[in-house]
Amino acid sequence: MKLTRDIHSLSTFKRDTAKLVRQMKKTKEPVILTVNGKAELVVQDAESYQKLLEAKDRIEAIEGIRRGLESMKRQRGKPAEVFFNEFFAEKGIPERE
């Protein structure tokens, strides 16, 4: 991100929307919009936003796996077979063979 290129007032964005949209598509960088000199909004092209969401999902999955592994190290977890046997018995679900 380049501060001189990627930070604009909301008024500038309204006036030069097409130009700033082209910039975002070209650079894949978001634009920070200010109101009264303070950062208020972030605008980003859809493709870059989708990549950001996918990265967030990956990070959350990795964090969940890490927590699970830590739990198993502390012997707080159960093997899947034991869990499902208990779950099916508790819910009255017949086991499949």
Side-chain angles (χ1 to χ4, degrees):
M1 172 180 280
K2 291 187 178 181
L3 298 180
T4 56
R5 181 193 67 202
D6 297 333
I7 298 178
H8 299 278
S9 69
L10 182 57
S11 300
T12 299
F13 185 78
K14 288 177 183 179
R15 186 177 56 248
D16 298 330
T17 303
K19 174 186 163 192
L20 291 171
V21 168
R22 282 192 306 274
Q23 173 188 311
M24 286 183 285
K25 286 183 175 186
K26 180 181 177 186
T27 66
K28 302 299 181 194
E29 294 288 336
V31 170
I32 310 301
L33 302 180
T34 63
V35 176
N36 297 324
K38 294 174 66 178
E40 291 288 331
L41 302 165
V42 176
V43 182
Q44 188 170 29
D45 70 289
E47 180 184 344
S48 296
Y49 183 69
Q50 183 63 44
K51 287 180 181 180
L52 181 66
L53 291 177
E54 290 167 2
K56 176 185 168 281
D57 288 344
R58 281 192 303 275
I59 289 168
E60 288 174 350
I62 290 168
E63 180 59 23
I65 292 167
R66 187 196 63 74
R67 283 192 315 268
L69 291 172
E70 287 296 319
S71 179
M72 292 301 289
K73 283 181 186 176
R74 291 189 309 271
Q75 298 183 341
R76 290 192 169 180
K78 294 180 185 181
E81 184 177 351
V82 172
F83 169 80
F84 284 114
N85 286 340
E86 291 174 358
F87 179 80
F88 291 154
E90 179 183 309
K91 302 296 181 188
I93 301 170
E95 291 184 40
R96 288 194 238 166
E97 294 187 25

